[in-house]
């Protein structure tokens, strides 16, 4: 089975379906609107994909996968199975003949959204292996499987965007807030349009992984992962955080300098707002002294250096902004998402500090500002959690003390009262 043949086969239905649209609209399938039929079709498709996966994995994992296929929601059961994730991770190779890459490719091309989520959950591992091997000049033919999966995800996102960029609306801070504006605006007031920022320019279709477009394709795939990150299992997020720390590859003492500054600011009584103003002034002064221009810039330090602490994975690699931007957005969710386990938050905290150290050494302004902001948010969130825990502990101690006092008072023996003697006159 050839990936390029699948690419051509996947693109052909778009043209062939146009001629059969009238037939489909005039002759409707009576079961097309039946929710039970749609559910059963989705379950059958997911079970067939799970059985296909069990056939290419070691026999030790086949029985567990077969049990997952028998559930009512097989795709989501496989998505939430750490054993299945571990089995796929240990067998993934990335070559054109790798059956796992073929399985990921074919599974993503299915129309079932849960199966696509399953493929996206492996994206941290796939992208980490691919970027590391490309950076170390592996034979491109040994990475054709990875590239086919990445190109399939990129093609789907290109089609969904329909040639439009990803925009973000930035409010005009010179205008009053909607919560503070008067009910009647002065006649002289003129509404200014809000600024619009471009998160991602329009995507161009690509059928091959070119070196000049590699960062855009991988970054777009990471954006697709971020768009579904709330449904990703915790171990997938944890893997991504550890890989991101390895990609940064910077564990010098400067990675914790902002933590020391925050502690000093709190000790001096500046508080959160004061420390923010001080750090903003420091960044502005630093940028002015270095006379840097905010532009697209790669982290181009060599690959020599440590790979991080024991919890870090992957190798130090170049990190252009097309890749670093979705990486920071994913780390922001892992760091601040209220439903994320503490292990994921701690791994994201370590990764952000490593990226801050890397950006400080490489002098990339937008990366410095983004990582500083995430570190400040992390510090304040942890301080608020500590304060809340201290208040809860104090309340618990007070309740325990009050309960002990009441129980001791109830158990204290009291002197028996003397019987009352009533004198009755005769």
């Amino acid at each position: 089975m050839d990936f390029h043949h699948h690419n051509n086969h996947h693109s052909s239905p778009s043209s062939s379906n146009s001629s059969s649209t009238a037939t489909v609209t005039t002759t409707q399938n009576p079961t097309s609107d039946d929710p039970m039929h749609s559910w059963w079709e989705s379950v059958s498709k997911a079970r067939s994909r799970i059985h296909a996966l069990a056939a290419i994995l070691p026999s030790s994992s086949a029985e567990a996968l077969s049990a997952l296929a028998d559930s009512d929601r097989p795709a989501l059961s496989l998505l939430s199975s750490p054993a299945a994730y571990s089995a796929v991770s240990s067998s993934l190779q990335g070559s054109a003949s790798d059956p796992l890459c073929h399985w990921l490719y074919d599974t993503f091309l299915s129309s079932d959204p849960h199966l696509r989520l399953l493929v996206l959950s492996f994206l941290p591992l796939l992208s980490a292996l691919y970027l590391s091997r490309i950076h170390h000049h592996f034979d491109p033919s040994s990475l054709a499987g990875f590239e086919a999966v990445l190109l399939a995800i990129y093609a789907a996102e290109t089609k969904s965007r329909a040639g439009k960029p990803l925009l973000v609306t930035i409010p005009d801070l010179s205008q009053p807030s909607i919560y503070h504006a008067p009910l009647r605006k002065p006649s002289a007031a003129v509404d200014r349009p809000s600024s619009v920022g471009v998160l991602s320019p329009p995507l161009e279709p690509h059928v091959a992984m070119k070196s000049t477009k590699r960062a855009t394709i991988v970054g777009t795939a990471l954006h697709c992962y971020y768009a579904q990150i709330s449904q990703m299992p915790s171990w997938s997020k944890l893997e991504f955080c550890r890989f991101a720390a390895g990609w940064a590859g910077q564990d010098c003492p400067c990675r914790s300098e902002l933590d020391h500054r925050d502690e000093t600011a709190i000790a001096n009584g500046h508080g959160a707002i004061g420390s923010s103003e001080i750090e903003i002034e420091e960044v502005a002064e630093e940028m002015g002294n270095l006379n840097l221009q905010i532009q697209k810039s790669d982290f181009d330090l060599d690959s020599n250096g440590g790979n991080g602490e024991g919890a870090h994975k992957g190798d130090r690699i170049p990190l252009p902004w097309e890749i670093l931007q979705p990486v920071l957005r994913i780390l922001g969710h892992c760091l601040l998402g209220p439903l994320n386990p503490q292990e994921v938050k701690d791994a994201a905290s370590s990764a952000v500090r490593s990226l801050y150290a890397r950006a400080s050494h490489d002098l990339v302004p937008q990366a410095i500002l983004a990582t500083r902001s995430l570190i400040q948010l992390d510090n304040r969130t942890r301080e608020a959690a500590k304060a809340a825990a201290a208040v809860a502990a104090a309340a618990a101690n007070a309740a325990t003390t009050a309960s002990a006092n009441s129980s001791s008072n109830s158990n204290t023996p009291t002197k028996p009262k003397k019987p009352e003697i009533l004198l009755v006159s005769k």
Side-chain angles (χ1 to χ4, degrees):
M1 181 170 59
D2 188 4
F3 281 116
H4 296 290
H5 172 73
H6 269 268
N7 277 327
N8 296 333
H9 179 72
H10 178 56
S11 59
S12 59
S14 61
S15 57
S16 61
N17 287 345
S18 59
S19 59
S20 61
T21 304
T23 305
V24 173
T25 54
T26 55
T27 307
Q28 294 183 353
N29 188 353
T31 61
S32 60
D33 296 332
D34 185 5
M36 182 59 69
H37 174 77
S38 301
W39 172 81
W40 179 248
E41 183 179 5
S42 176
V43 169
S44 301
K45 187 182 299 183
R47 287 178 176 174
S48 65
R49 297 310 303 160
I50 293 176
H51 288 306
L53 177 62
I56 59 180
L57 287 178
S59 57
S60 58
S61 305
E63 295 182 2
L65 291 178
S66 299
L68 295 176
D70 295 335
S71 65
D72 294 338
R73 298 186 299 173
L76 293 180
S77 298
L78 185 60
L79 177 65
S80 58
S81 172
Y85 183 88
S86 177
V88 174
S89 301
S90 60
S91 303
L92 194 61
Q93 298 176 357
S95 63
S97 59
D98 183 10
L100 276 177
C101 287
H102 283 272
W103 184 87
L104 291 172
Y105 180 86
D106 294 335
T107 302
F108 187 81
L109 293 184
S110 66
S111 58
D112 187 81
H114 294 156
L115 290 176
R116 288 196 166 192
L117 282 178
L118 180 61
V119 176
L120 290 177
S121 68
F122 292 99
L123 193 57
L125 174 66
L126 190 148
S127 58
L129 294 176
Y130 175 71
L131 292 175
S132 176
R133 294 178 184 180
I134 278 290
H135 182 58
H136 289 87
H137 308 290
F138 273 59
D139 182 9
S141 62
S142 65
L143 304 176
F146 289 153
E147 292 180 347
V149 178
L150 291 171
L151 284 170
I153 298 174
Y154 177 83
E157 182 66 12
T158 303
K159 182 179 179 180
S160 65
R161 293 190 190 181
K164 298 179 181 179
L166 287 182
L167 304 177
V168 57
T169 303
I170 305 173
D172 186 1
L173 298 181
S174 64
Q175 299 296 318
S177 167
I178 59 174
Y179 301 103
H180 304 90
L183 296 177
R184 295 182 179 180
K185 294 184 178 180
S187 57
V190 178
D191 292 334
R192 299 181 183 179
S194 301
S195 301
V196 177
V198 179
L199 284 178
S200 176
L203 299 178
E204 301 176 356
H206 297 292
V207 295
M209 184 73 76
K210 298 180 180 179
S211 59
T212 56
K213 301 298 182 182
R214 181 177 294 118
T216 300
I217 294 173
V218 176
T220 302
L222 291 176
H223 170 80
C224 295
Y225 180 87
Y226 171 76
Q228 304 294 336
I229 194 170
S230 61
Q231 304 183 61
M232 291 294 125
S234 59
W235 50 85
S236 178
K237 300 177 186 179
L238 185 62
E239 285 275 278
F240 183 87
C241 294
R242 291 174 175 174
F243 280 125
W247 295 343
Q250 199 72 37
D251 290 287
C252 61
C254 64
R255 70 191 301 272
S256 59
E257 65 178 7
L258 291 182
D259 301 328
H260 301 321
R261 291 182 185 180
D262 285 349
E263 292 173 0
T264 304
I266 294 174
N268 293 335
H270 290 296
I273 298 177
S275 62
S276 299
E277 294 175 351
I278 292 173
E279 291 177 355
I280 291 173
E281 292 175 358
E282 291 177 355
V283 173
E285 182 179 357
E286 182 180 357
M287 297 308 159
N289 294 336
L290 294 174
N291 193 19
L292 296 176
Q293 296 179 350
I294 296 181
Q295 56 186 358
K296 287 186 178 181
S297 174
D298 293 355
F299 288 115
D300 287 331
L301 292 184
D302 57 359
S303 60
N304 297 326
N307 290 335
E309 301 171 354
H312 298 177
K313 292 186 175 183
D315 297 323
R316 183 191 189 120
I317 60 173
L319 290 174
W321 185 246
E322 292 88 349
I323 294 178
L324 186 60
Q325 184 189 44
V327 166
L328 292 176
R329 299 181 75 187
I330 295 171
L331 289 178
H333 167 86
C334 295
L335 190 66
L336 304 173
L339 300 181
N340 290 329
Q342 190 61 40
E343 186 181 12
V344 173
K345 295 181 179 180
D346 293 340
S349 177
S350 177
V352 167
R353 283 160 173 79
S354 296
L355 288 171
Y356 168 73
R358 175 76 177 271
S360 300
H361 284 274
D362 287 6
L363 302 178
V364 183
Q366 64 267 48
I368 293 175
L369 293 174
T371 50
R372 286 173 72 102
S373 299
L374 288 176
I375 292 174
Q376 291 172 13
L377 290 172
D378 179 38
N379 289 338
R380 292 170 190 170
T381 302
R382 292 177 184 271
E383 288 295 332
K386 288 180 181 179
V391 171
N397 291 335
T400 303
T401 303
S403 176
N405 292 336
S406 62
S407 61
S408 63
N409 292 335
S410 61
N411 295 330
T412 301
T414 57
K415 294 182 179 181
K417 293 183 178 181
K418 294 181 179 181
E420 295 181 356
I421 299 175
L422 301 178
L423 298 178
V424 179
S425 58
K426 291 182 179 180

